[in-house]
């Protein structure tokens, strides 16, 4: 839990939102929809006295329903959606030659986005315009899903459970610009806040069941779950870019080089070059803001050239986020990341474009990635002052 003191948005210190969450959960007039981020499942058990095997995300869903949630979803679905848009955006910028001067950067980490705005504002236009999984999920939940259940988005409260303190601020930056101009996410609680709520509700965790998330945004993929570890967004995007360029899915070990190998500099800069059907894609993955500064300075000086760069503010990625369970003096990010890669291995689908519920969402609602509707709901404009 290094983010609390180091991440730029951590300056907010830790705002406690459990009271707000309880008020929403107890409000009979509201429909409460909760999403749970990938990294949360790799950490919550540390506080609940459960082993890894005893703590699947389905038990978090069960706890949330017992606390009064009407619908529960996995942010992995939102991560798959982010990949659909971001991989398409990357290929569009790449083939249009827009990446000559600078790479496209991922934009799903609000700690990193804030860092660019304050320290490297001239790079802002190089960020992907794709919203983060949290925000994309909220945008389709308050439109597509709200229509399905016949609710006015104003009567829905969107809560998210995040490994991250900066996500509390992210919810204030993005807006859903369709007909409904409200927030995509209403309340953000951290992994630590979730475990406090479970305890204060006197829920006996040994009785929790492993229940599925709700429809119609139920399915997730291995690509979505590895978002929580450094290198995960890059690997997920490359799987889908590979499919788009080659018409087939990549072998399972195609992009292992972008992963954290647990070595001392595992959160340092990892550079790779991939040849996808004759197309060369140069990538870099970095986590921790010190390493990030070093990378950006090298790009600025023209010493390094990449096409696509993933940045996560917390060392090791979201699994090491500031909202996760804290163990004094122990670094858990690598260990938790490994849990996510294990889950990835066991998913029926390992690529975001194979997610059946994502396909359905595009068929029924969005059309295709980067469509007008997708832009309205799923993309944002990065501005210095928000
Ligand atoms: Fe939040 Fe993840 Fe970024 Fe850390 S790396 S600030 S947990 S989004």
């Amino acid at each position: 839990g290094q983010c609390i003191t180091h991440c730029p948005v951590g300056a907010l210190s830790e705002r406690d939102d459990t009271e707000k969450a309880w008020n929403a959960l107890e409000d009979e007039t509201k429909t409460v929809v909760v999403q749970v981020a990938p990294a949360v499942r790799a950490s919550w058990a540390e506080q609940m006295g459960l082993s890894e095997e005893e703590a699947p995300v389905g038990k978090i869903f069960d706890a949330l329903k017992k606390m009064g949630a009407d619908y529960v979803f996995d942010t992995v679905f939102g991560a798959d959606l982010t990949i659909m848009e971001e991989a398409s955006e990357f290929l569009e910028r790449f083939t249009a030659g827009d990446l000559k001067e600078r790479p496209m950067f991922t934009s799903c980490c609000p700690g990193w986005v804030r860092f660019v705005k304050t320290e490297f504002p001239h790079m802002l236009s190089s960020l992907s315009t794709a919203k983060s999984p949290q925000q994309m999920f909220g945008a389709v939940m308050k439109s597509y899903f709200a229509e399905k259940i016949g609710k006015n988005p104003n009567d829905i409260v969107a809560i998210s459970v995040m490994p991250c303190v900066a996500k509390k601020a992210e919810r204030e930056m993005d807006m859903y610009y369709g007909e409904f101009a409200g927030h995509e996410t209403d309340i953000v609680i951290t992994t630590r806040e979730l475990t406090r709520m479970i305890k204060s509700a006197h829920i006996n965790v040994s009785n929790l069941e492993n229940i599925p998330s709700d429809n119609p945004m139920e399915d997730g993929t291995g690509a979505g779950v590895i978002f929580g570890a450094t290198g995960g967004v890059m690997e997920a995007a490359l799987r889908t870019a590979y499919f788009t360029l080659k018409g087939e899915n990549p072998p399972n070990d195609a992009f292992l080089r972008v992963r954290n190998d647990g070595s001392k500099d595992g959160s340092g800069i990892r550079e790779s070059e991939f040849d996808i059907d004759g197309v060369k894609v140069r990538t870099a993955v970095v986590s921790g803001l010190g390493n990030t500064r070093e990378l950006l300075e090298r790009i600025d000086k023209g010493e390094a050239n990449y096409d696509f760069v993933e940045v996560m503010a917390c060392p090791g990625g979201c699994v090491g986020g500031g909202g996760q369970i804290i163990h004094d003096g122990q670094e858990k990010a690598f260990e938790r990341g490994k849990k996510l890669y294990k889950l990835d291995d066991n998913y029926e689908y390992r690529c975001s474009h194979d997610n059946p519920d994502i396909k359905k969402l595009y068929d029924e609602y969005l059309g295709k990635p980067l469509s007008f509707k997708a832009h309205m709901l799923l993309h944002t404009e990065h501005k210095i002052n928000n």
Side-chain angles (χ1 to χ4, degrees):
Q2 45 299 91
C3 183
I4 289 179
T5 44
H6 298 312
C7 91
V9 206
L12 294 166
S13 82
E14 224 192 328
R15 191 176 66 205
D16 187 321
D17 285 306
T18 55
E19 188 73 27
K20 265 201 212 156
W22 280 125
N23 289 342
L25 289 162
E26 282 159 13
D27 186 342
E28 295 288 315
T29 67
K30 297 288 183 192
T31 300
V32 178
V33 180
V34 188
Q35 59 168 314
V36 181
V40 175
R41 74 207 59 192
S43 172
W44 77 295
E46 296 159 17
Q47 187 69 45
M48 306 305 309
L50 297 170
S51 69
E52 187 185 338
E53 292 68 36
E54 291 168 329
V57 65
K59 290 195 182 179
I60 302 181
F61 295 151
D62 192 28
L64 289 165
K65 288 225 161 146
K66 288 192 161 71
M67 291 191 277
D70 297 294
Y71 297 93
V72 290
F73 291 104
D74 196 333
T75 310
V76 167
F77 177 88
D80 282 330
L81 191 53
T82 293
I83 286 304
M84 296 300 288
E85 294 295 323
E86 194 162 350
S88 305
E89 181 189 1
F90 170 68
L91 289 174
E92 195 179 86
R93 285 165 86 152
F94 185 72
T95 50
D98 283 358
L99 305 179
K100 278 208 184 73
E101 282 180 36
R102 268 185 229 121
M104 185 176 95
F105 293 97
T106 59
S107 59
C108 54
C109 165
W112 150 239
V113 172
R114 181 62 57 94
F115 181 78
V116 180
K117 287 181 182 176
T118 54
E119 309 273 327
F120 291 82
H122 59 287
M123 289 198 177
L124 206 53
S125 63
S126 300
L127 291 187
S128 162
T129 61
K131 289 181 183 175
S132 72
Q134 164 173 284
Q135 300 304 95
M136 282 206 185
F137 177 86
V140 290
M141 192 276 284
K142 289 202 177 176
S143 52
Y144 172 70
F145 177 70
E147 280 175 30
K148 293 235 180 228
I149 59 168
K151 292 275 175 192
N152 180 328
N154 289 313
D155 295 327
I156 299 179
V157 181
I159 302 182
S160 37
V161 187
M162 292 283 140
C164 180
V165 185
K167 288 278 168 192
K168 289 182 190 258
E170 184 188 64
R171 77 148 214 102
E172 277 141 31
M173 290 186 317
D174 271 336
M175 293 277 239
Y176 150 25
Y177 297 110
E179 292 131 47
F180 168 72
H183 286 286
E184 291 131 340
T185 309
D186 296 298
I187 301 166
V188 179
I189 58 168
T190 61
T191 311
R192 278 199 302 282
E193 286 173 305
L194 170 75
T195 57
R196 281 211 300 278
M197 288 175 74
I198 295 176
K199 285 185 175 169
S200 74
H202 301 292
I203 289 171
N204 182 350
V205 286
S206 54
N207 292 340
L208 289 175
E209 283 175 43
N210 183 13
I211 63 165
S213 59
D214 285 298
N215 271 311
M217 300 183 286
E218 183 184 343
D219 294 322
T221 71
V225 90
I226 59 175
F227 253 66
T230 174
V233 180
M234 178 60 72
E235 184 169 345
L238 288 172
R239 289 179 191 175
T240 288
Y242 184 104
F243 176 80
T244 309
L245 290 169
K246 222 173 162 178
E248 62 187 54
N249 282 343
N252 287 354
D253 60 356
F255 304 114
L256 296 184
R257 270 179 287 150
V258 303
R259 295 185 185 183
N260 181 356
D261 60 5
S263 64
K264 210 164 140 260
D265 61 352
S267 58
I269 302 163
R270 295 193 294 289
E271 301 175 314
S272 307
E273 186 172 301
F274 297 102
D275 185 325
I276 306 175
D277 212 22
V279 180
K280 280 201 178 8
V281 181
R282 298 161 303 172
T283 66
V285 171
V286 69
S287 67
L289 292 179
N291 298 320
T292 301
R293 181 185 299 283
E294 188 189 322
L295 178 77
L296 297 193
E297 282 170 356
R298 279 170 54 192
I299 292 172
D300 253 353
K301 287 188 202 138
E303 291 168 9
N305 287 298
Y306 310 106
D307 302 305
F308 197 0
V309 174
E310 179 203 291
V311 184
M312 293 291 155
C314 299
C318 300
V319 282
Q324 298 277 64
I325 307 302
I326 293 173
H327 307 268
D328 278 337
Q330 278 184 55
E331 184 42 74
K332 294 266 185 189
F334 178 62
E335 195 182 303
R336 292 176 189 151
K338 279 204 295 197
K339 290 184 193 169
L340 299 185
Y341 286 110
K342 204 156 107 190
L343 292 173
D344 171 37
D345 287 339
N346 293 324
Y347 263 94
E348 181 179 0
Y349 302 106
R350 296 185 77 239
C351 298
S352 301
H353 53 266
D354 288 330
N355 180 330
D357 284 341
I358 289 281
K359 287 188 190 169
K360 198 161 123 197
L361 171 66
Y362 279 102
D363 284 351
E364 290 183 4
Y365 201 68
L366 296 171
K368 57 182 183 10
L370 308 183
S371 68
F372 178 73
K373 195 153 193 171
H375 267 290
M376 292 298 285
L377 287 173
L378 309 178
H379 291 258
T380 188
E381 200 185 324
H382 299 288
K383 296 199 203 88
I384 299 285
N385 299 322
N386 71 358

